[in-house]
Amino acid sequence: MAATHDRTLPGSGHRVWTGVRAHTLAFFRNPLYLVLLVVLPLIEIRFAGSALESLPTAAFPEMDASLMTTGRLFGAIYATAVFGGIVGLFQRLSADETDRRLIVAGSSPSRLFLTRTLTVLGITLVVATIATVALVWTETVAAPALVFAVLGGSGVLYAFVGLLLGSVLSSELEGSLALVFIVDVDVILATGLLPTDLFVGETFPLYHPYQLLQTAVVDGGLADGHVLPALGYVLVTGVAATLVYRRTASTNGGGA
Amino acid sequence: MRTSHVQTAIATGLREYARTPVLLALLVVAPAYLVGLFGYAAPDTLVPVDVPNSGQTMVPLADVLTVLGVVLVAAMVGGLVGLFVVQSATNADGRLVIAGFAPASILLARGTLVAAAATATVSVSMAVALVVFSPANALGLAVAGLLTALSYGLVGVVVGTQVDRLAGVWILLFAPLLDVVLYQNPLAAETKTLATLLPSHAAMRLAVDAGFGSGLDWSPLVPAVMYFVGTAVVATVLYYRRT
């Protein structure tokens, strides 16, 4: 029998904070994760820049930044999105059984979701910080704070996508496959590595964040026309992830 | 090593695949989506490609990206399936060894499962690629895709024996993109030294030749197979130590 009265108890915020702290500490206690969080974005940014530099500019006539800069931006946004997405996916899937039991024991799905989400967002912002530092280190960045905000937003967007996929798919392999195909195509289209005149390219989630990132790095300004669509994607995926989590957690655990 | 043990382990693994229709759908739909999108959305702008035995050749960008898509999909799926096959089998394989299965039988069965997923993915990728583009040698392109998938499958096994799933997925999402899209990109004017050390290097040369060459030179097959065999040896040693 599910008890849901804890939502009204005082100290709910404290419980969320305790959960977030426990999940985050468990994550960062693994030294390999720490190493990968630092090393992989650095490698991606550094090597993507040098690899793209050797491509012919004639093949990408509409690319606004140089190929090396594009490569580094590609690495930064890809690293943030992939880490955010995978952490979201694994937080959701690996916690599934635990969360079900907690719901049966009386925890509210909303609080559990909030705990998982805040953990994922915290880790994602750490990745965004590392990617921003790596970008500033390798590239002349006009507006570092703006770059952090855009990378953080891109990571959060994909963290929600990961949480969403984790709610609708039953295994980590399925989720990882789905996520890799979504994020790879998204980044390749957003950065212009697949130059296309089709409108479909602009409908992918990272298209607007990439435009913001490019402007922030090259000009230091805010690409006004892309702010609202980018925030809109974050909002929509956030709402979808929440609704789907509530629905699946309630169905499985019966404690809504 | 008993044949019946290998057959049993393969049958069990295939049954597990069959019980997960979403996974099967992803193995078919996701490659079709990526290769189809690359071929459909890219413009037909002519771009210079350094074809191994034909020199620099002007080919439509859409065709280049289709070839790239076939190899990329093979690497992504192969790597992840290899990782998860070895990760999900860890506990079960230890018990099977105690029950009398030879580690070689189990390893062969796990390898066959990776090969089955690789074959399915490459078949779908090729079917979609052939709709949007006519390669000079379709068989050569399919072989290149299959070798990439198998090599990455073994890379996935190697990674899976060393790190946990989360870390493994991160590594296997970064590696194919860096290797195939950035370092082996057929449009690249020069080959970086690092590119020659990566798993898809020889396979990509074969794929580009098969896609655009006037007569296919199968010589890149040798280093590609050697890479595959080398990775298989490393994967086998690590797997034996683990079980």
Side-chain angles (χ1 to χ4, degrees):
Chain A
M1 188 167 61
T4 55
H5 59 276
D6 76 314
R7 271 174 269 185
T8 59
L9 290 176
S12 200
H14 177 71
R15 288 186 204 175
V16 170
W17 167 239
T18 306
V20 171
R21 201 176 54 181
H23 296 320
T24 309
L25 283 177
F27 182 88
F28 285 113
R29 216 171 269 148
N30 187 330
L32 179 64
Y33 293 171
L34 280 175
V35 171
L36 291 176
L37 277 182
V38 175
V39 171
L40 287 181
L42 278 174
I43 289 177
E44 190 74 19
I45 291 167
R46 171 75 181 78
F47 289 123
S50 70
L52 281 203
E53 194 188 12
S54 61
L55 300 189
T57 47
F60 310 98
E62 292 177 17
M63 210 171 255
D64 295 330
S66 72
L67 278 162
M68 180 177 266
T69 301
T70 302
R72 287 172 179 163
L73 300 185
F74 175 104
I77 204 164
Y78 182 78
T80 321
V82 160
F83 273 107
I86 292 295
V87 170
L89 177 75
F90 276 67
Q91 274 287 322
R92 178 68 185 94
L93 280 173
S94 60
D96 199 35
E97 193 55 40
T98 316
D99 283 5
R100 274 187 225 176
R101 287 183 194 152
L102 286 170
I103 290 167
V104 172
S107 295
S108 77
S110 305
R111 202 184 68 206
L112 289 173
F113 181 73
L114 186 61
T115 307
R116 296 286 173 199
T117 305
L118 290 176
T119 306
V120 172
L121 298 189
I123 295 167
T124 303
L125 291 180
V126 171
V127 180
T129 308
I130 293 164
T132 305
V133 171
L135 206 51
V136 170
W137 184 35
T138 53
E139 183 73 33
T140 308
V141 175
L146 202 51
V147 165
F148 170 73
V150 175
L151 287 177
S154 307
V156 169
L157 169 63
Y158 263 91
F160 284 134
V161 172
L163 286 165
L164 186 60
L165 287 174
S167 294
V168 295
L169 298 174
S170 60
S171 82
E172 289 160 347
L173 176 56
E174 290 169 7
S176 303
L177 275 171
L179 190 73
V180 68
F181 278 97
I182 295 171
V183 75
D184 277 23
V185 169
D186 194 359
V187 176
I188 288 170
L189 278 170
T191 51
L193 278 179
L194 171 56
T196 178
D197 297 332
L198 297 178
F199 175 68
V200 69
E202 297 179 15
T203 61
F204 277 80
L206 286 179
Y207 173 77
H208 297 288
Y210 182 77
Q211 301 303 318
L212 288 165
L213 180 65
Q214 187 174 258
T215 309
V217 169
V218 179
D219 304 328
L222 191 64
D224 292 334
H226 297 285
V227 176
L228 280 180
L231 288 175
Y233 267 108
V234 176
L235 189 68
V236 167
T237 49
V239 169
T242 310
L243 291 177
V244 173
Y245 175 86
R246 278 187 66 85
R247 191 162 183 277
T248 50
S250 303
T251 307
N252 295 329
Chain B
M1 185 166 71
R2 282 197 211 160
T3 315
S4 62
H5 283 175
V6 178
Q7 285 172 343
T8 307
I10 292 173
T12 312
L14 289 176
R15 213 172 295 137
E16 216 173 304
Y17 276 171
R19 280 193 198 124
T20 49
V22 177
L23 175 61
L24 289 178
L26 277 169
L27 288 175
V28 173
V29 174
Y33 153 72
L34 190 142
V35 175
L37 185 72
F38 276 20
Y40 175 71
D44 283 331
T45 318
L46 291 177
V47 289
V49 171
D50 193 14
V51 182
N53 291 298
S54 309
Q56 201 173 69
T57 310
M58 298 299 284
V59 294
L61 182 61
D63 295 352
V64 179
L65 291 177
T66 304
V67 169
L68 186 84
V70 170
V71 180
L72 175 64
V73 161
M76 291 195 307
V77 173
L80 283 176
V81 170
L83 170 78
F84 278 90
V85 160
V86 78
Q87 285 276 336
S88 60
T90 304
N91 294 329
D93 288 1
R95 286 181 203 144
L96 286 173
V97 170
I98 292 169
F101 277 62
S105 306
I106 308 170
L107 185 62
L108 184 60
R110 302 299 175 215
T112 307
L113 289 178
V114 176
T119 307
T121 302
V122 173
S123 303
V124 173
S125 305
M126 282 302 298
V128 176
L130 290 174
V131 172
V132 293
F133 150 71
S134 300
N137 189 318
L139 178 65
L141 184 56
V143 169
L146 197 60
L147 271 170
T148 307
L150 292 174
S151 291
Y152 262 97
L154 289 167
V155 169
V157 171
V158 170
V159 171
T161 57
Q162 300 303 301
V163 300
D164 66 16
R165 281 185 193 191
L166 180 58
V169 169
W170 280 338
I171 293 168
L172 288 163
L173 292 194
F174 276 89
L177 197 76
L178 201 64
D179 178 10
V180 179
V181 177
L182 302 174
Y183 272 91
Q184 316 298 345
N185 198 310
L187 297 172
E190 55 170 319
T191 305
K192 307 260 181 190
T193 312
L194 177 63
T196 60
L197 305 172
L198 296 173
S200 74
H201 177 67
M204 183 58 99
R205 282 176 60 84
L206 184 66
V208 171
D209 202 13
F212 312 110
S214 48
L216 182 62
D217 174 14
W218 288 93
S219 60
L221 199 59
V222 177
V225 171
M226 280 171 61
Y227 204 103
F228 169 73
V229 172
T231 323
V233 170
V234 175
T236 306
V237 170
L238 293 173
Y239 182 83
Y240 264 84
R241 282 175 58 184
R242 193 182 166 101
T243 52

